[in-house]
Amino acid sequence: IQRSAPDLYKAWTSWEQLPRFIDDVEAVERNGSTLTWTVRGPGNQKFTWDAEIINEVPDRVIAWRTKGDSDVENAGSIAFRERPFQR
């Protein structure tokens, strides 16, 4: 990807914009450290869950995990690193 780590971090943390480039994600809303995700699953069924941001270092990393009792358990992270020629 020919973008800098800060540019990519900014794109990923524009939560409301994620449905524009992640298939099946209908909405992501941030309220403090909580993200409410709404996605389309099999049979076009909608699923909604809350996730908490457990680690966030601007321009470097974001990590999250499902919050509370949820039908959709998940956790993940994304790291942003500078590469030669802003790749």
Side-chain angles (χ1 to χ4, degrees), residues 11-47:
W12 271 93
T13 56
S14 297
W15 301 103
E16 293 81 9
Q17 298 300 314
L18 291 181
R20 294 179 61 204
F21 61 91
I22 300 178
D23 291 342
D24 299 324
V25 173
E26 289 193 353
V28 182
E29 298 175 10
R30 184 172 186 171
N31 184 9
S33 64
T34 299
L35 301 170
T36 300
W37 292 78
T38 302
V39 301
R40 279 174 279 134
N44 211 31
Q45 185 177 2
K46 283 188 184 181
F47 295 92

Side-chain angles (χ1 to χ4, degrees), residues 1-8 81-83 85-87:
I1 299 174
Q2 298 291 328
R3 300 298 294 240
S4 68
D7 286 348
L8 293 173
R81 295 179 292 176
E82 289 292 337
R83 306 292 288 179
F85 310 108
Q86 291 189 329
R87 294 182 302 173

Side-chain angles (χ1 to χ4, degrees), residues 15 30-37 49-56 62-68 74-76:
W15 301 103
R30 184 172 186 171
N31 184 9
S33 64
T34 299
L35 301 170
T36 300
W37 292 78
W49 68 89
D50 288 332
E52 62 181 331
I53 296 174
I54 56 174
N55 186 19
E56 185 171 13
I62 306 165
W64 62 90
R65 68 176 170 217
T66 305
K67 189 174 176 179
N74 69 71

